[in-house]
């Protein structure tokens, strides 16, 4: 990178969250993620609440980080695995075997097409599952969460987003100290400012455009409630946040966050799975490819290389 001033801004300005999604899928995967804390700059994780061994994930996390240095985020999950509210309670969201089977696009279409009694029923079931997932990481296993995001960004869909805010406002969860909620739309200016080692994948541009449809609305609601929205870096290069990309773009995104007097979140997916038994839903080949991608290894390496870069430029 060679820009010492740009790297030093990270040291003295608002916090940068070097964040890992999908914590807790398996013990082996969680250990790989936590190695990015021990040997790298990782300081934030999203916890999947409906994993088989949530208690084991918490034990491993607390053993590594017993002072809660790592920001702990609820990773709401409507995309895979089984619901925590019970399949009978959320029948619209699952298949006949009780697994989540509705894609982001199904929720997105529902948001704009269903109304009346069906919409009320859907919202009731979404709220029931959000409550169950919140309880899992608070009352059942206390992860000390301070932020919320979601697996595959389902929470950005207005019907889900509104249910999330409604549940967080309930008396049962009023004690929670939720400080941030993710709005995953990267500012465009940083990627236009510098020469990038690779072009933005077309599928990620499509994701960004879809998420952008509700980002302004959702951001406004959060700011009205005093909930912080960090500047985000991670959609344009989802699952491709390797060293060359981050080295080129991080200083510009940090400059953007500083200009807004906001924190910055970089989203990584370190911690690749190595065996089918670790998957939450072994029937779905696309999830196998997602979790076992070599890119997860390269993203973990990036988080470790960032530590060396920051250490060199801090003096």
């Amino acid at each position: 990178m060679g820009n010492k001033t740009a790297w030093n801004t990270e040291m003295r300005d608002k916090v940068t969250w070097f964040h890992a999604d999908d914590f807790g899928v398996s013990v082996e995967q969680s250990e790989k993620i936590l190695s990015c804390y021990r040997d790298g700059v990782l300081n934030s994780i999203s916890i999947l609440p409906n994993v088989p061994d949530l208690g084991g994930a918490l034990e491993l996390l607390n053993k590594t980080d017993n002072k809660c240095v790592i920001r702990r985020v609820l990773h709401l999950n409507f995309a895979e695995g089984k619901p925590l509210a019970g399949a009978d309670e959320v029948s619209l969201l699952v298949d006949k075997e009780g697994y989540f089977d509705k894609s982001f696009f199904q929720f997105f279409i529902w948001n704009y097409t269903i109304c009346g009694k069906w919409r009320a029923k859907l919202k009731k079931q979404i709220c029931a599952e959000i409550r169950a997932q919140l309880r899992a990481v608070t009352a059942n296993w206390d992860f000390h969460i301070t932020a919320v995001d979601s697996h595959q960004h389902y929470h950005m869909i207005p019907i889900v987003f509104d249910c999330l805010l409604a549940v967080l406002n309930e008396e049962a969860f009023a004690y929670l100290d939720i400080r941030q909620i993710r709005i995953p739309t990267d500012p465009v200016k940083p990627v236009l400012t510098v020469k990038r080692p690779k072009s933005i994948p077309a599928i990620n541009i499509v994701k960004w455009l879809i998420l952008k449809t509700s980002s302004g609305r959702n951001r406004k609601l959060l700011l009205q409630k005093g909930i912080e929205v960090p500047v985000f870096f991670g959609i344009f290069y989802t699952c491709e946040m390797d060293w060359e990309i981050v080295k080129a773009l991080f200083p510009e995104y940090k400059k953007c966050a500083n200009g807004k007097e906001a924190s910055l979140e970089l989203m990584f997916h370190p911690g690749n799975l190595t065996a089918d038994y670790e998957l939450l839903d072994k029937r779905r080949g696309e999830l196998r490819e997602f979790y076992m991608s070599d890119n997860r290894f390269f993203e973990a390496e990036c988080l470790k290389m960032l530590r060396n870069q920051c250490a060199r430029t801090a003096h």
Side-chain angles (χ1 to χ4, degrees):
M1 178 175 290
N3 189 338
K4 184 172 181 178
T5 301
W7 282 94
N8 278 340
T9 61
E10 194 279 325
M11 296 296 183
R12 63 173 180 264
D13 293 319
K14 278 187 174 285
V15 65
T16 296
W17 300 114
F18 296 99
H19 181 86
D21 272 6
D22 305 337
F23 181 82
V25 177
S26 71
V27 171
E28 295 88 346
Q29 178 252 18
S30 298
E31 177 58 40
K32 290 175 184 175
I33 289 175
L34 290 174
S35 74
C36 298
Y37 165 70
R38 290 190 298 268
D39 304 326
V41 295
L42 182 78
N43 61 357
S44 178
I45 59 169
S46 289
I47 301 111
L48 279 163
N50 64 329
V51 296
D53 189 9
L54 188 60
L58 176 60
E59 182 179 359
L60 181 62
L61 176 58
N62 285 342
K63 182 178 179 180
T64 304
D65 174 40
N66 60 9
K67 295 183 178 179
C68 290
V69 173
I70 299 173
R71 181 181 69 150
R72 302 169 181 207
V73 184
L74 169 60
H75 205 42
L76 283 173
N77 182 11
F78 293 93
E80 61 174 312
K82 292 189 174 183
L84 294 180
D88 292 341
E89 294 297 315
V90 293
S91 57
L92 295 177
L93 311 182
V94 298
D95 62 18
K96 61 183 180 181
E97 296 180 58
Y99 285 87
F100 287 127
D101 71 334
K102 304 303 185 297
S103 69
F104 177 98
F105 292 103
Q106 179 63 71
F107 274 75
F108 188 78
I109 291 168
W110 275 340
N111 181 71
Y112 296 104
T113 58
I114 67 168
C115 56
K117 292 182 179 179
W118 278 105
R119 189 175 188 87
K121 182 178 180 181
L122 178 61
K123 290 178 69 175
K124 181 179 179 180
Q125 294 192 11
I126 292 171
C127 285
E129 183 59 22
I130 291 173
R131 289 188 196 99
Q133 294 192 18
L134 271 170
R135 283 195 294 269
V137 297
T138 57
N140 298 347
W141 302 102
D142 190 0
F143 279 84
H144 302 287
I145 63 164
T146 61
V148 178
D149 57 32
S150 67
H151 200 30
Q152 299 182 16
H153 313 299
Y154 279 61
H155 77 288
M156 285 294 290
I157 301 167
I159 192 170
V160 180
F161 191 86
D162 293 349
C163 287
L164 171 61
L165 292 189
V167 171
L168 288 175
N169 200 46
E170 292 175 357
E171 184 177 352
F173 302 107
Y175 72 95
L176 293 178
D177 185 19
I178 302 300
R179 304 170 196 166
Q180 298 105 14
I181 292 180
R182 175 189 289 173
I183 300 292
T185 48
D186 307 23
V188 174
K189 185 177 179 181
V191 298
L192 299 179
T193 303
V194 300
K195 183 178 180 180
R196 305 180 303 279
K198 65 179 78 170
S199 59
I200 300 172
I203 185 62
N204 290 345
I205 294 175
V206 173
K207 289 178 185 177
W208 184 91
L209 289 169
I210 292 170
L211 293 169
K212 194 69 175 175
T213 62
S214 58
S215 64
R217 168 197 186 274
N218 293 350
R219 186 187 306 274
K220 182 178 179 180
L221 289 172
L222 291 177
L223 295 178
Q224 288 173 350
K225 290 181 172 293
I227 296 175
E228 181 192 0
V229 179
V231 171
F232 190 77
F233 171 23
I235 285 294
F236 285 142
Y237 289 98
T238 297
C239 297
E240 296 191 23
M241 294 281 282
D242 59 28
W243 173 241
E244 293 302 318
I245 287 294
V246 175
K247 179 175 69 170
L249 291 174
F250 172 66
E252 293 302 320
Y253 273 99
K254 187 61 186 176
K255 188 187 302 182
C256 177
N258 288 345
K260 297 176 183 291
E261 298 184 345
S263 59
L264 172 66
E265 178 182 351
L266 287 76
M267 180 184 70
F268 295 85
H269 291 86
N272 56 305
L273 305 187
T274 57
D276 283 354
Y277 75 84
E278 296 179 84
L279 296 167
L280 294 183
D281 190 343
K282 302 171 183 61
R283 307 167 304 167
R284 294 169 58 181
E286 80 280 8
L287 294 177
R288 185 182 191 279
E289 182 178 351
F290 171 68
Y291 281 115
M292 297 188 181
S293 169
D294 288 341
N295 287 348
R296 287 180 176 252
F297 171 80
F298 296 125
E299 292 199 4
E301 288 301 297
C302 177
L303 284 163
K304 295 170 185 178
M305 293 174 74
L306 280 165
R307 179 176 184 175
N308 296 333
Q309 180 69 37
C310 290
R312 284 197 300 270
T313 58
H315 303 289

